[in-house]
Amino acid sequence: MGKTFRIIMVRHGESQWNHGKLFTGWYNCPLTAVGEKEARQAGAALREKWIEIDAAFSSLLLRANQTCDLILQELGVAESVDVKKSWRLNERHYGDLTGQNKVVAVAKYGAEQVKLWRRSYDCAPPPISQSNPYFTQIQQNSIFNDVPKDAFPTTESLKMTTDRSWVFWQGSQKCYLIKFELIIESLYFGRTRSSR
């Protein structure tokens, strides 16, 4: 029988836009102080269970990287663990909902429609429009320079997000699974939900 590997999936800590109840998607906002504390607590919980990390994976987004870094610091392995980052691990793109307050979105589109966009597997919100105040910030963010133009999303369902991340899983992570005992992936609740 082959070797067993464990993958620990961690949602990023509270971000500034989570705190403001805004749809975040590919907007690159940092953690709040609460989010930093949550990340440290996650690292401490892993340390208390004597869990060792051999490799880490994260999206390109700041909040995921901060979470991953803080967990690795708590474990005392920040300098020794290889962290592989990929746009394929980014949070789902919330399209034109990006930057909208969730309560305002419910008032505008209706609770059932917003719930469908957020919780269904294959229904994506409307694509982000050029009139969205965050369109240019996302499209021109240099952290996304390696995202192929034909693959750069303008909106995503959970299915689209899962399909995108599965490409990474089948490629890069296989190599790590052969080499390492345990990996940690700093990702998003939507991705975690779609990976069940």
Side-chain angles (χ1 to χ4, degrees), residues 92-93 113 116-117 120 122-127 155-158 160:
R92 76 186 281 191
H93 195 304
Q113 182 61 63
L116 184 67
W117 286 329
S120 72
D122 57 1
C123 184
T155 188
E156 289 177 306
S157 65
L158 286 174
M160 295 162 77

Side-chain angles (χ1 to χ4, degrees), residues 53-55 72 75-83 180:
I53 305 298
D54 296 306
L72 295 176
L75 291 168
V77 295
E79 301 300 318
S80 60
V81 169
D82 182 30
V83 179
F180 296 111

Side-chain angles (χ1 to χ4, degrees), residues 63-120:
R63 57 195 177 271
N65 291 314
Q66 289 176 310
T67 300
C68 187
D69 291 345
L70 290 167
I71 289 171
L72 295 176
Q73 286 171 23
E74 281 295 318
L75 291 168
V77 295
E79 301 300 318
S80 60
V81 169
D82 182 30
V83 179
K84 174 125 174 96
K85 299 174 185 175
S86 173
W87 68 273
R88 291 191 177 279
L89 299 178
N90 280 7
E91 181 170 344
R92 76 186 281 191
H93 195 304
Y94 263 110
D96 222 28
L97 294 178
T98 302
Q100 287 190 43
N101 179 283
K102 292 174 184 175
V103 174
V104 172
V106 166
K108 183 176 180 180
Y109 300 108
E112 285 304 309
Q113 182 61 63
V114 173
K115 182 179 179 182
L116 184 67
W117 286 329
R118 293 184 71 194
R119 302 292 183 226
S120 72

